[in-house]
Amino acid sequence: MRTKGAKTARKTTKVATGKPTKNAQSASSAADLIDKAHTLLAQSNFELAIKFLERLLELEPENGEARELVGIAELEGGDADRGRQHLLLLLPPHATSPTHPSPYLYLAQVAEDPHEALGYYSTAAAMIEQRASSGQGSDEEKEMAVSALVAMVEIWMSDLCFEPSASDNCDALIARALALSPASAEARLSLASIRISQSKFDEARQIAVGLYKEVDDPDSPLPSLPTRLLLVRLLLEHSLHAEALDVVGTVRDEDALELEGAYLEGWAWWLRAEALGTGASAEAVAGKPDVDEEPTVAECLSESMRALLECARLFGEQDHPDLGVGTHTEELLRALKEKGVEPAADEGGDEEDCQAEGDVSGWEDVDDDVKMD
């Protein structure tokens, strides 16, 4: 063994000081193409990334990383069928099973039926759970497993909700997610949804209040933006309008172009106006004092119109997949217009912007954009 190692070392030294071999050149070229593909994927330049990766696969058809990346690029670029075909080539009998969960997670997202999706998600989650049980799983991997388990819960609560085992399966899956990451906001929100489906509303409300307190704590890190949007919806479902506005405010501060954030802000102000109109005061979470001065119904409606006009403008500019948001925004704006509501001034804009938003003809333009979509 020592002699063989010495010969290998001498050969490596010779190669390093002489002309690179064809194999070394090929490996270097493959590594360069992979690096270039990663860069292009990060830039969302999927078409060019696919060209680089297809060139590499012509040279090395068995290159698993290139096969996986081209599958991901095809999926992200909008060709789900081609992406799926590439990823399936990473699985038996075409190849040995992948040692990481990524291909299974992507295949689950383009599965042709819910049971197929459950199978892929289950495999990915089990791989990470096995690593975690041996102390090898990273926090990032655990969050990937949590997301996979939550996705499985969503399938059981939607496509498979009428199956007798749906509720028990949801309980078992969310227990696994919380065992991996007890503090996961994503898993706790999923638990709240399960409890609502089981008519355990008090428990769901307690989860919502607990998550809100964490978001409201300046010393606690904020959950991801999509998670906060889900929390806003949960808070609104429990008529915690002021708390929902606090959370959606962090979303709007982080990303002013987030359409769902603008929509939920407008909807929250609308619901708060309705609650005040019935004589109800804004609810306060235990330990959080009421605001010093309760807004009037008119002020709430004015804030609602401001946010919804912004949502409608973004809807006209973006290719948003949820047409229901556009339709509901249009309905709310029409109702506000009929009430004679004027939009509140945007604190982040100048006076001319505020006047433009308050112009009825400007609203008609935005309304037309929503209708077109």
Side-chain angles (χ1 to χ4, degrees), residues 335-358:
L336 289 166
K337 180 184 177 184
E338 291 172 354
K339 292 175 183 288
V341 175
E342 294 291 334
D346 186 351
E347 294 180 359
D350 56 30
E351 186 176 350
E352 290 183 2
D353 290 338
C354 297
Q355 290 175 349
E357 279 195 334

Side-chain angles (χ1 to χ4, degrees), residues 182-197:
S184 169
E186 182 181 11
R188 289 150 69 195
L189 280 169
S190 182
L191 175 60
S193 296
I194 294 170
R195 294 298 176 255
I196 290 173
S197 71

